Amino acid sequence: MNYETIIGLEVHAQLLTKSKMFCRCSADYANAPPNTHVCPVCLGMPGVLPVINRQAVEYTIMTALALNCTIAEYTRFDRKNYPYPDLMKGYQISQYNLPFGLGGSLTIEVDGQKKQAGITRVHLEEDVAKLVHYDSPDGKSYSLVDVNRSGVPLMEIVGEPDLRSPEEARQYLIKLRSILQYLGVSTGNMEEGSFRCDANISIRPEGSDKLLAKVEVKNMNSFKAVYLALEYEAERQRKAAAEGKRLVQETRGWLDEKGKTVSQRSKEYAHDYRYFPEPDLPPLVITREWVEEIVAKLPELPEARRDRFVSQYGLPLYDANLLTGLRAVADYFEDCLKTDAFKQLPADKGAKEVANWLLGEASRIMNDNNIDIVAFSKRVSPEQLGELLVLNSQDVVNTATAKYVFGEVFKTGKNPAEIIDDKRLSQISDTRALDEEIGKVLAANPQPVADYKRGKTQSLTFLVGQVMRATRGRANPKLVTEQLKKKLEEG
Ligand code: ZN
Ligand code: MN
């Protein structure tokens, strides 16, 4: 029997607000000493009153709009009750049946095919504290609570079970993260836990609409982990079905080192959260005027920017796609185009040239050094890249040398012209200096010279190579070819 895979994702994203969701503590806790960003509200003391963070509400509405959701006119917060050591109040303030956004969509692309994945809802809640586990040398392990994270605004984005493969799930996450980064509402950093994903995955016989058993997978800390966990799970469920085993509805955890999922709890232990309206917070009426104000603040989103890169700069769609995936890369690209140096490049080729260098050499350097575009831009400024491209286009250095200079700019922070000067890297473009090298090469290679004279034109390529080698790549190849031809025809 053939089965198809059904996947739906739930994403939690921390919002980039200055303060927490319901108190004035700083939400920027990541590098703070444990339990320093706390107050009676986020510690969950009795008798305190929460106050709604307006910025967090705006960010959530922004996201819901960018995901084509309908924005609720009337919404409210609810208490989600469950006991856990990292949940300070014994309940989480969340939203139950009246979320901010409902019924949206996200367009993904897999193998050149566009697909719309449904968005069920976008709601707002608060993050919990963090348990830090320690193993002590006497074999006894223990856990400490860091409350800094408690109360950080957390946006939950629930997707419809519209995804049919682990690759579609990965593309969905990449696209969603890109939108959050463009909006500036979240860092989207999965490794740091500010962007977390739980996945519901099940299989069903092709053509049937009956799922075998819904399995929720947790503990995935990277896009790669999500992909691998879903691959593993789809395979495990198919194998169990083929062997006639009964699949159970359960929650499973992904073990990264072992590359497999293990059962954490089955349906019998499913939580009953006893949701009820949060009595300490007023319901929110979201006026259409407010929504219009937020719409006006929406920045250009990845797809629109990609299409603009194609129409405005004449870039191939492929390049435009790569450049606009991350907002910071697209920003760097456009910063390069704003430099004075850029204006000296040929008008029809300049943008493509910048794109080639960013997607080629710059990407290679970022990979080799394991850094992102933000760190890269602190080492190589758009002005420096522009200057290098101008020197290359004016034949001061050939492309091979320019790549070397690019690496040196990254290493030393010096400007390209300075490096070229210091290391005497400029191309040999004066014919007298070249003629000397050419003379030596001709004298040292009588056979190829004779071959060329008998009509074997490939010999010329060999001789050009020899001159380039003798000048350690500094000669202008066009000039070398011209001069060589002249010499060979003379003598
Ligand atoms: Zn607080
Ligand atoms: Mn949640």
Side-chain angles (χ1 to χ4, degrees):
M1 178 143 13
N2 279 333
Y3 292 96
E4 66 175 336
T5 307
I6 313 293
I7 299 169
L9 301 180
E10 274 176 36
V11 168
H12 283 90
Q14 284 178 345
L15 294 176
L16 278 170
T17 54
K18 287 200 181 68
S19 57
K20 291 188 183 179
M21 187 62 228
F22 300 115
C23 62
R24 296 175 67 176
C25 292
S26 165
D28 182 20
Y29 66 91
N31 300 310
N35 299 312
T36 52
H37 291 192
V38 295
C39 74
V41 173
C42 54
L43 280 162
M45 301 289 191
V48 297
L49 285 175
V51 176
I52 299 170
N53 183 329
R54 185 185 169 94
Q55 184 69 74
V57 171
E58 280 211 14
Y59 281 170
T60 305
I61 294 174
M62 261 179 130
T63 306
L65 285 167
L67 295 172
N68 310 302
C69 289
T70 307
I71 307 301
E73 301 198 12
Y74 178 89
T75 178
R76 91 175 167 232
F77 288 95
D78 297 277
R79 284 192 185 180
K80 180 179 180 179
N81 300 281
Y82 66 94
Y84 202 75
D86 64 11
L87 185 64
M88 303 315 289
K89 302 187 291 295
Y91 60 85
Q92 178 192 33
I93 303 181
S94 179
Q95 295 189 287
Y96 185 52
N97 56 347
L98 293 171
F100 282 100
L102 275 171
S105 65
L106 179 69
T107 308
I108 59 168
E109 214 172 302
V110 175
D111 297 331
Q113 290 280 338
K114 276 194 182 178
K115 170 172 179 163
Q116 294 249 334
I119 300 289
T120 316
R121 56 188 277 149
V122 178
H123 77 244
L124 186 53
E125 56 190 36
E126 56 178 338
D127 210 344
V128 296
K130 202 170 175 175
L131 291 180
V132 190
H133 306 286
Y134 294 91
D135 284 318
S136 73
D138 61 7
K140 289 178 190 150
S141 58
Y142 60 102
S143 301
L144 297 176
V145 188
D146 179 3
V147 187
N148 283 349
R149 196 176 70 178
S150 169
V152 167
L154 201 59
M155 180 170 63
E156 183 171 330
I157 299 150
V158 182
E160 290 287 307
D162 287 343
L163 308 168
R164 293 290 171 269
S165 67
E167 182 55 22
E168 286 189 7
R170 172 156 62 185
Q171 292 306 324
Y172 173 98
L173 289 177
I174 289 173
K175 189 64 182 291
L176 179 58
R177 182 180 65 171
S178 172
I179 289 174
L180 298 190
Q181 289 174 336
Y182 267 74
L183 294 172
V185 301
S186 177
T187 63
N189 192 316
M190 229 176 155
E191 282 77 8
E192 286 171 7
S194 37
F195 185 88
R196 306 170 217 151
C197 170
D198 299 330
N200 288 304
I201 174 169
S202 47
I203 56 170
R204 70 181 173 203
E206 245 166 41
S208 154
D209 56 3
K210 200 167 169 297
L211 301 175
L212 292 194
K214 218 162 115 182
V215 171
E216 186 178 13
V217 188
K218 289 178 175 288
N219 300 343
M220 299 161 293
N221 298 321
S222 64
F223 287 133
K224 194 175 163 204
V226 173
Y227 181 82
L228 293 175
L230 291 175
E231 284 258 277
Y232 175 87
E233 200 45 38
E235 188 55 35
R236 183 190 71 82
Q237 293 183 18
R238 275 183 176 72
K239 209 164 152 245
E243 288 167 2
K245 286 187 191 148
R246 223 177 81 82
L247 281 159
V248 291
Q249 181 170 338
E250 61 181 345
T251 301
R252 298 177 70 88
W254 169 248
L255 301 179
D256 218 16
E257 329 76 61
K258 295 198 173 141
K260 63 180 200 174
T261 65
V262 290
S263 181
Q264 287 183 328
R265 62 168 187 259
S266 63
K267 195 190 174 189
E268 299 140 68
Y269 301 103
H271 290 299
D272 171 8
Y273 294 118
R274 294 173 292 119
Y275 280 99
F276 64 84
E278 168 59 56
D280 288 340
L281 291 172
L284 285 179
V285 173
I286 305 163
T287 65
R288 297 304 96 176
E289 290 73 41
W290 192 18
V291 174
E292 284 313 310
E293 268 173 45
I294 297 171
V295 168
K297 279 191 234 169
L298 284 177
E300 185 180 37
L301 291 170
E303 256 165 87
R305 198 169 195 184
R306 178 195 66 192
D307 294 346
R308 181 169 63 79
F309 275 22
V310 172
S311 60
Q312 186 176 348
Y313 304 128
L315 292 179
L317 185 63
Y318 180 81
D319 292 23
N321 235 333
L322 290 175
L323 288 171
T324 53
L326 288 173
R327 182 178 179 173
V329 173
D331 286 347
Y332 187 90
F333 172 76
E334 291 208 285
D335 285 345
C336 289
L337 305 194
K338 282 183 207 134
T339 60
D340 287 334
F342 175 78
K343 290 173 191 121
Q344 297 176 48
L345 289 172
D348 55 330
K349 283 190 247 148
K352 175 70 179 133
E353 191 73 8
V354 174
N356 288 348
W357 277 78
L358 271 184
L359 299 173
E361 281 306 290
S363 294
R364 192 185 57 71
I365 290 176
M366 286 186 262
N367 281 335
D368 288 354
N369 293 277
N370 199 17
I371 56 168
D372 65 5
I373 186 77
V374 178
F376 177 83
S377 65
K378 285 178 187 145
R379 310 276 285 272
V380 182
S381 69
E383 287 76 16
Q384 286 172 319
L385 177 56
E387 181 187 319
L388 181 61
L389 298 195
V390 170
L391 292 169
N392 182 214
S393 81
Q394 293 172 344
D395 283 332
V396 176
V397 286
N398 62 27
T399 303
T401 307
K403 285 182 183 173
Y404 168 76
V405 174
F406 195 51
E408 289 298 300
V409 175
F410 176 77
K411 267 191 244 164
T412 63
K414 288 185 187 166
N415 289 332
E418 202 183 340
I419 292 165
I420 291 167
D421 229 39
D422 283 357
K423 305 208 169 212
R424 300 177 196 287
L425 292 170
S426 55
Q427 287 200 81
I428 304 169
S429 290
D430 89 87
T431 40
R432 229 182 9 196
L434 258 188
D435 283 351
E436 200 178 308
E437 294 298 336
I438 288 172
K440 279 190 220 160
V441 165
L442 291 179
N445 295 282
Q447 191 57 50
V449 171
D451 289 347
Y452 179 82
K453 285 180 178 166
R454 268 188 283 111
K456 201 177 156 202
T457 46
Q458 300 99 295
S459 299
L460 183 65
T461 316
F462 169 80
L463 293 167
V464 170
Q466 293 303 303
V467 177
M468 292 306 290
R469 213 168 112 186
T471 57
R472 286 179 297 130
R474 287 169 53 217
N476 177 337
K478 232 190 311 177
L479 198 61
V480 171
T481 310
E482 275 167 28
Q483 289 298 105
L484 256 176
K485 263 191 186 162
K486 212 151 85 186
K487 287 263 169 176
L488 286 163
E489 264 133 49
E490 273 169 13

